[in-house]
Structures are given as structure tokens and as C-alpha cells.
Amino acid sequence: MSRDYPLGTIRTQQVWKRFRADQQRMLLRDRVEQAARRLRGDRGEDWRWALRDIDLHIEPGESVGLIGSNGSGKSTLLKMLTRVMYPYAGIIDVRGRIGALIEIRAGIHPDLTGRENIYLFGALLGLKRREVAGRFDDIVEFARLGGAIDRQVKFYSSGMQMRLGFAVAAYLEPHVLLVDEVLAVGDAVFQQRCLDRMREVAEQGTTIVFVSHDLPAVQSICRRGVWLEQGTVRVDAGIKDALAGYRDSIEAQSEATARVGEPLALLKYEVRGEDGEENLHTDEPVTVELTLGGDYRGDATLHLGVSEGTSSPIFQISHEIRLTGGDHRVACVIPRLPLPRGRYTLWTGVYSIGKTDGGTLMSWHSAGQFDVFGPMLDTPPRAVVLAAPVFVPHQWEE
Amino acid sequence: MGGQRAQVIDDREGQQAPGGVTIPAGPPPELVFKRRLRPVQVAHELWAARELVRALAERDLRARYKQAVLGFAWAVLTPLALCAIFTLVFHRAVKIETGAVPYTLFAYVGLIVWQFFSNTMNQGALSLANNLSLLNKVYCPREVFPLATMLVATVDMAIGVGVLGLMFLVFWTAPAATFLWALPLLVIQFAFTYGIALILSVAVVYLRDVRHLLPIITQMGVFATPVAYPLAKIPHRLQEIYVGVNPLGAVIEGYRKALLYGEAPDGRMTLIAAASSLVFLVGGYLFFKKLETGIADVA
Ligand SMILES: Nc1ncnc2c1ncn2[C@@H]1O[C@H](COP(=O)(O)OP(=O)(O)OP(=O)(O)O)[C@@H](O)[C@H]1O
Ligand SMILES: [Mg+2]
């Protein structure tokens, strides 16, 4: 095992981490009880794996997006990289200074002022007081804290704590920057500035590991994606492939959620292109045909939406229908499909109008996926986040 | 879709992982993590964290000395009050014999040491538990937290020593010329106190109800330690064992000899105390470092 990796390298080899599965109150009397039970031959400890067999090799300067559903072990992995947590087994080697922002106010001491915290954190990173002082103004300027810098951090709003935490982590020139979905508490402007800053430090050669459920943001920062599922690495590839796989799995799960006992059900759906052909093309006509079944009679609003990967739709259209009991067929024609190449999910839901306004007849759910053929979307500059893919017909002139 | 995912992990061990690769049921035994302590690295880390120790101690002190007068008063009030009570009870009623030295001075020297110990023990024991949120987010050698509380107690002790100086004036005596003997005793005192603080601080993280033992230890300790009476009150043949368990006994006795009676501390007792406090320090440190790895898991 060579120890000469350059600064900024992250290596994990067969890393395993487990937590107690049984309830733990950390009391002496519980321990005594436990010991007594074990003496009587009861099963003693109950563990469950949070991470299993994690092998990662991240080169200096790489930017890696770590994605996965809740509880998949992302934060646990980051905590082990910062050495806050220790693995059960395996080798973890992170070279160089680590700037970490795990949860809001990572590394921030609530009883100290913002100023003291900056120096404290610098000291924790192994910087001299003088070195911190040299970057102090940048940090305060970036965090836009103004006079609050001399106030105790516990009186900061969560956004302010995050600003300070991020500014400190990103400006004290760590070799490795670990960011765990904290940007969400910042306002839109600050989020963008954070992404910009991450791109900047990435270009200066800092290794970045970015955890977020904001997939477009991850895509805009990272070149490589690691998708964790139930504590194992499911995909470790280019960011696009990792995200695509992850999005597909999200959709597969939401489809699997059965809705029982609702007045209406979607019996059949069809998405077809021009002249009934199966392939859909960007900027060409598309017909969506739905068949609803159920006993409900009366007026209702039918909603139709299209999303990419997440549950927030790119667009949503609705239509009033009159249900008369029995099967109901409704078709919607979109003359020019505004979606670039990709895989999309169709969502639908029906809600009543009239006496029980907004009552759910068929809850909003994904009906299925369809593929669109056509041009790829142009790549935005790094750190610029596209809210949703939309194809806009356009022409350039010079 | 929130609820359905959580519990899958347990029953899947050794089976197909989501990606289709087979994951073994457990890690290879030779890779199981073991804490290796390299003294040089540990010392280096601790040295690098000196700013942190200072900042932590400063925070406590600043909070306490915000009202300068009261803050100062708290540091001296408890030992002075105890000193007054001891003078009444032990000197007047029990008639402890202290020779040519005023009993109040005699008791106060013991109280300074005791106060330092009990402050560090009580605050230090909670130092990790009170900072769990910080411990869970940023890496630092964790022993800095009890160390910072000891630093705070040291400041209090310095104030107590200042008051001792005033007492010398009041009683119109001077510290004996042998007072330099106090220095090695101070080292023993710090080593033992830190060792205890290390053990308790990490114990409290794992066993939260241990903190309820602290007041009991404090109250019994002040009488179980020769604070109000000389070490000679302990049966002679038990003294060595006693000092082995509680080096503070020899430390206090040594201070009295050096500062008040102008004699050198008993060599044998001091050596036993030194050895014992070294055991407490090293043992406490290893215990601490061993359990330290799990702190973030239970935080
Ligand atoms: N200290 C702990 N004690 C016991 N179990 C824990 C502890 N920390 C994490 N876990 C468990 O480990 C698993 C992984 O948790 P982790 O916080 O790493 O998930 P995550 O991927 O960060 O999820 P999220 O997207 O919600 O942030 C979860 O099942 C969690 O319950
Ligand atoms: Mg997390």
C-alpha cells in the first residue's frame, strides 16, 4: 500500500460501516440489562450495514457527485472521509486538507462569533492565524455577513450559518472539498454563487465531492457520478450515466406505488407521434391518449404533466372533463413537442370540480416513460443549472 | 414513496447487490479497522490543535467573566466558603493539629488542589457530551475538549493561588524557601486530573447517566482526600496504597510541606503518586482513544 498519492487524492478500499440497529439510549442501566440478557444466552448485538464494500479512487481535481436516495449512506461516507467517523473495516486515505460542509454549520461553534469561528476553523484545517487573516476579507465578502460577523453564530439564521460555513470551507483552500446538501437553505442568489465558487475551486485543482438531491446542480458541477444504493456503489461513471440510472430508478419506484381504492383508475395510456407512429420527435406533434375507468359521475379536472427524473414536472396542462361512469377516453394533441432528446415520465391525476372541489379522484402519479428523439440540448457553462430541459426553436444570425 | 425503503438492508447480505455484483456478507477480517496510535502523530495533532484549545477555553472563560467582579468571585468564593467551614468544624470542633501553621492556610492549600480537580472532573466529564454537535461535523483530536476545561480550571487555580498570597499577608507568614518543590507536584496533579477527565468524558458519551455520579464523587472526594486533615490521619500502613489510588493525597501533603512547613515532600510518597498518576494519564488516554472512534456513531 503506497502512501505517496498526491495531495487531494481520496482513496477508499473495501470500506464497511455498520451501526447499531437496536435502540440505544446510552444509559448504564440499559447496558447492565443487555449484559444480563447476553448471559442468559439471548442474542446480543444487532448491527446493520450502512455502507458495504466501498471502493473509490478519486484523483486530485476530480469533481464527483454522490447521489442516492435517503439513507443510502452518502453522509456516512462523507463523515468517514473527514475522519469524524471511523469505518468498521477497510482503508480510507484522504490526502491534504479537508474542507467539509456536512449539514449546515459544519465546523461552526455556536457560542463563538463568526469571526472567531473563521479562525477556529482555519486552525482545524491546519492553517496559521496569519494565513487565515489573509483570506478573512474574502470570506466575509463572499458570505455577505456584514456586521453579523461579530455576533455569536447561534444567533445566525440557518442561511447565514450555511453561508459562513460554505465560505470558510471554500476559501481556506482545502485540497478536498466535501459538501453535503446544505446549499438548499441558501437563497437562490447565494446558491448560484456557491456553485460558481465550487466550479472555481474545482478549476484550481481542488477535489470536490458534492452530495445533493438537486440533480441538475450536481450535473452542473460534477464530471463523475457515484450512485449509492443501500450502502453500496451502484454506479460509478460519468455524471450523465449515473444520473440517468438514478432517475430511472426513482421513476421505477414511484410507478410501483399502487393506488388502491380511488374512484378512478388509469386503464390505458398511449403516447404517439405524428401519424400514429411510435417514435416521438422534438418539435413535432404528439398525441397523448388516456383511458380512465371508474364509477364516478360528474365534472372533473384532468391534469397531465411531463417530468425528467424528478417528480416536479417540466410542464403541466389540464382539461375539464365530464365523467359519466364507465370508461372514458380522452386525447390531447401537442402540436410541437418542446422536449429535447431524452427519456421522460408522463404524470397524470384527476380531481373533482363542484361540491367537493379538488377532491382526489385519481392522485397525481407517474403513468410511464417515453423516449423522445431529436437534438441534444446545448451544454450550458459549468455551474449553470438548467431548471428543466426545454427545446426552444431558434436561429442564430451573425 | 418515503416509507418503503428504509429497512431493506439486513436481509440482503451476501446476496446480489443492486448493480448485479455480488457483495460479500461481511468485510474480510484482516481489514477490520484497528486504531493505531502513533505517538509522534498524536503529539503533532495535539500541537496543531492548540488554537482550538485556546478558543474553547477562552469561550468558557469569557462567558463566566463577562461580569468581571462576579466571575472572579465565583472562582474564590467556593474555596473560601469551604475553608471557613473547615476552620470551624475541623479546627475548632475536631481539633486537627497543624503545628505552627494556621489551620486556615493549611486547609486552603488543600482546597485549591481539590477545587482544581473537581472543576476539571465535573466540567471535563461533560466536555464531549456538550459538544457532540461539533464532534459530529469536524475533525479534531477529541482530547482537546477535556484539555480546554482543564485550562479553564487552571485559570481558576491561578486566581486561587493569588488569594493564597493574600492569606500569607494576612497571617503575616511567607511561603517557605522549599516552595520550588511545588513544581514537580504540579505536574503530578495535572497528569492525574487530566487522566480522570479523559476517562469520565468519554464514559459520559456512552453512558449518559454516569453524569449523575459526579456530584457524589465530588462530595465524597473532598472528605476522602486529605483536604481538611493531614495525610498522617490515614493509618500508616495504608498510606502507600491510598496514595497509589489517590495521588492527590500525596500532592496536597507535598504542597503543605513545601509551602508551609519548609520541608521537602516525602520522596517515597511522591514517587508513588507520580507513578500512579502516570498510569492514570496513560491508561486514561488509551481508554479515551479507544472509545473515541465511536463517538460520532452514538452522537
Ligand atoms: N449515528 C448513527 N446511528 C445509527 N444509524 C445511523 C447513524 N448515522 C446514520 N445511520 C444510518 O445509516 C444509514 C445511512 O445514513 P446517511 O445519513 O449516510 O444517509 P444519506 O445517504 O446521507 O441520506 P440523506 O439523503 O437522507 O441525507 C441510514 O439508514 C441511517 O439510519
Ligand atoms: Mg445525508
Side-chain angles (χ1 to χ4, degrees):
Chain A
M1 183 183 26
S2 154
R3 298 227 133 230
D4 302 303
Y5 302 112
L7 291 175
T9 312
I10 300 174
R11 281 184 69 97
T12 71
Q13 278 173 44
Q14 295 182 300
V15 167
W16 294 70
K17 176 72 186 172
R18 61 181 196 177
F19 290 114
R20 298 297 293 252
D22 41 353
Q23 177 209 21
Q24 284 260 299
R25 287 186 304 172
M26 296 297 146
L27 295 179
L28 185 56
R29 55 172 189 271
D30 291 2
R31 290 296 169 91
V32 173
E33 238 169 69
Q34 225 172 44
R37 238 184 303 139
R38 211 171 308 156
L39 278 184
R40 270 183 268 124
D42 260 2
R43 84 201 158 99
E45 298 169 333
D46 199 2
W47 298 92
R48 61 189 228 106
W49 293 112
L51 287 175
R52 292 178 295 156
D53 209 23
I54 304 290
D55 268 305
L56 282 178
H57 185 168
I58 301 175
E59 300 280 352
E62 257 190 301
S63 48
V64 178
L66 197 55
I67 50 178
S69 46
N70 292 138
S72 55
K74 305 181 295 297
S75 304
T76 307
L77 181 56
L78 284 204
K79 279 182 184 165
M80 291 200 299
L81 294 183
T82 56
R83 294 193 292 167
V84 165
M85 259 182 198
Y86 293 79
Y88 170 70
I91 297 162
I92 296 179
D93 196 5
V94 182
R95 316 291 296 171
R97 282 201 297 269
I98 305 172
L101 196 58
I102 302 174
E103 300 162 12
I104 323 167
R105 55 177 144 152
I108 287 198
H109 202 298
D111 289 343
L112 298 176
T113 66
R115 179 185 303 272
E116 290 165 334
N117 260 297
I118 293 176
Y119 282 103
L120 186 59
F121 197 73
L124 284 171
L125 278 183
L127 288 165
K128 301 211 169 53
R129 212 178 160 77
R130 184 167 33 84
E131 291 174 300
V132 180
R135 299 170 176 89
F136 189 84
D137 291 338
D138 282 348
I139 293 173
V140 178
E141 155 67 20
F142 183 84
R144 301 253 162 96
L145 284 171
I149 195 70
D150 284 314
R151 219 184 299 154
Q152 280 187 344
V153 163
K154 64 180 162 198
F155 300 126
Y156 282 21
S157 73
S158 9
M160 285 158 82
Q161 292 183 355
M162 187 281 281
R163 283 168 177 233
L164 183 63
F166 184 86
V168 168
Y171 272 87
L172 290 180
E173 290 173 26
H175 298 109
V176 175
L177 180 63
L178 308 173
V179 179
D180 189 352
E181 54 186 338
V182 286
L183 305 186
V185 298
D187 53 41
V189 178
F190 193 74
Q191 277 186 35
Q192 187 55 49
R193 270 151 45 83
C194 288
L195 294 178
D196 284 345
R197 178 64 195 169
M198 278 166 71
R199 177 182 43 77
E200 234 172 86
V201 297
E203 272 159 19
Q204 287 163 11
T206 300
T207 311
I208 292 185
V209 180
F210 182 31
V211 173
S212 178
H213 293 289
D214 181 356
L215 303 183
V218 174
Q219 183 163 11
S220 76
I221 292 295
C222 305
R223 298 257 164 86
R224 174 171 163 197
V226 174
W227 168 20
L228 281 186
E229 191 172 275
Q230 293 168 9
T232 56
V233 175
R234 168 101 181 240
V235 170
D236 180 355
I239 188 67
K240 283 227 171 87
D241 295 338
L243 284 175
Y246 178 51
R247 285 184 166 131
D248 280 355
S249 92
I250 297 177
E251 272 150 22
Q253 278 166 40
S254 52
E255 268 171 69
T257 325
R259 294 163 316 286
V260 284
E262 287 186 336
L264 286 182
L266 181 67
L267 298 181
K268 205 173 89 171
Y269 83 95
E270 196 180 2
V271 188
R272 55 174 188 265
E274 206 167 15
D275 308 325
E277 75 170 293
E278 269 200 26
N279 289 348
L280 310 179
H281 292 278
T282 303
D283 211 30
E284 283 178 18
V286 166
T287 307
V288 180
E289 192 180 304
L290 305 173
T291 309
L292 299 168
D295 298 333
Y296 183 82
R297 286 158 197 277
D299 290 341
T301 313
L302 168 71
H303 295 270
L304 204 60
V306 170
S307 76
E308 191 210 28
T310 55
S311 55
S312 359
I314 302 165
F315 65 82
Q316 187 276 141
I317 47 188
S318 53
H319 180 57
E320 282 185 21
I321 52 176
R322 169 154 294 172
L323 294 162
T324 53
D327 295 357
H328 187 93
R329 200 194 70 91
V330 55
C332 175
V333 179
I334 301 166
R336 301 177 72 177
L337 184 67
L339 299 173
R341 171 197 293 265
R343 170 163 291 189
Y344 300 91
T345 308
L346 184 73
W347 294 73
T348 177
V350 183
Y351 300 87
S352 63
I353 318 176
K355 266 179 269 167
T356 52
D357 232 6
T360 305
L361 299 178
M362 181 176 76
S363 52
W364 182 252
H365 69 282
S366 66
Q369 298 186 327
F370 60 91
D371 291 314
V372 174
F373 298 89
M376 295 270 277
L377 219 49
D378 301 332
T379 323
R382 209 160 171 210
V384 171
V385 181
L386 283 189
V390 177
F391 175 80
V392 180
H394 60 281
Q395 247 163 359
W396 294 94
E397 278 169 21
E398 262 180 301
Chain B
M1 58 193 229
Q4 62 184 25
R5 299 192 49 68
Q7 306 139 333
V8 206
I9 293 184
D10 274 331
D11 11 291
R12 303 165 30 99
E13 281 167 27
Q15 297 172 15
Q16 286 260 301
V21 198
T22 307
I23 301 268
E30 72 274 12
L31 274 180
V32 169
F33 178 80
K34 280 196 204 66
R35 189 69 190 265
R36 263 183 233 94
L37 288 175
R38 293 188 201 84
V40 176
Q41 194 190 344
V42 164
H44 185 261
E45 257 186 9
L46 206 53
W47 177 245
R50 61 193 182 281
E51 280 280 311
L52 179 61
V53 177
R54 199 189 48 80
L56 291 172
E58 198 181 296
R59 166 186 59 131
D60 285 0
L61 284 172
R62 195 171 288 170
R64 200 137 49 85
Y65 290 95
K66 212 155 244 170
Q67 299 125 328
V69 183
L70 260 186
F72 179 77
W74 287 133
V76 292
L77 224 55
T78 330
L80 279 184
L82 278 174
C83 193
I85 293 171
F86 283 5
T87 308
L88 282 176
V89 176
F90 288 95
H91 187 47
R92 296 276 151 79
V94 186
K95 300 248 188 302
I96 296 281
E97 190 48 57
T98 58
V101 174
Y103 178 79
T104 311
L105 266 184
F106 177 90
Y108 192 69
V109 168
L111 275 167
I112 291 177
V113 177
W114 174 255
Q115 202 65 27
F116 170 80
F117 176 77
S118 89
N119 277 347
T120 310
M121 181 184 71
N122 282 297
Q123 305 299 321
L126 302 181
S127 61
L128 289 182
N130 289 342
N131 285 302
L132 280 183
S133 64
L134 189 65
L135 292 182
N136 217 345
K137 284 174 209 138
V138 57
Y139 177 79
C140 61
R142 274 75 170 85
E143 57 270 30
V144 299
F145 291 95
L147 192 59
T149 46
M150 191 161 83
L151 193 59
V152 172
T154 309
V155 172
D156 284 348
M157 185 171 71
I159 294 172
V161 170
V163 173
L164 180 68
L166 291 179
M167 282 190 177
F168 275 120
L169 279 183
V170 171
F171 289 98
W172 206 243
T173 53
T178 46
F179 74 92
L180 277 182
W181 278 110
L183 290 181
L185 294 173
L186 199 62
V187 173
I188 299 176
Q189 179 190 341
F190 272 83
F192 174 69
T193 307
Y194 189 45
I196 295 288
L198 281 173
I199 294 171
L200 285 175
S201 65
V202 73
V204 166
V205 171
Y206 285 92
L207 306 168
R208 304 281 155 96
D209 42 359
V210 163
R211 69 171 75 193
H212 302 308
L213 294 177
L214 296 176
I216 306 174
I217 303 178
T218 313
Q219 275 162 25
M220 289 185 12
V222 71
F223 295 111
T225 305
V227 174
Y229 51 86
L231 184 63
K233 286 278 167 205
I234 289 166
H236 193 72
R237 57 199 163 76
L238 291 182
Q239 269 182 24
E240 284 171 8
I241 299 171
Y242 177 83
V243 167
V245 176
N246 182 2
L248 288 184
V251 168
I252 293 175
E253 188 67 15
Y255 281 142
R256 283 175 179 152
K257 281 199 166 140
L259 293 177
L260 306 178
Y261 293 96
E263 303 167 19
D266 184 299
R268 194 173 161 71
M269 286 299 165
T270 310
L271 278 183
I272 294 175
S276 154
S277 59
L278 190 68
V279 169
F280 272 105
L281 180 65
V282 173
Y285 193 78
L286 294 178
F287 179 73
F288 185 91
K289 278 297 187 187
K290 172 116 183 71
L291 290 181
E292 180 197 51
T293 53
I295 289 177
D297 295 2
V298 300

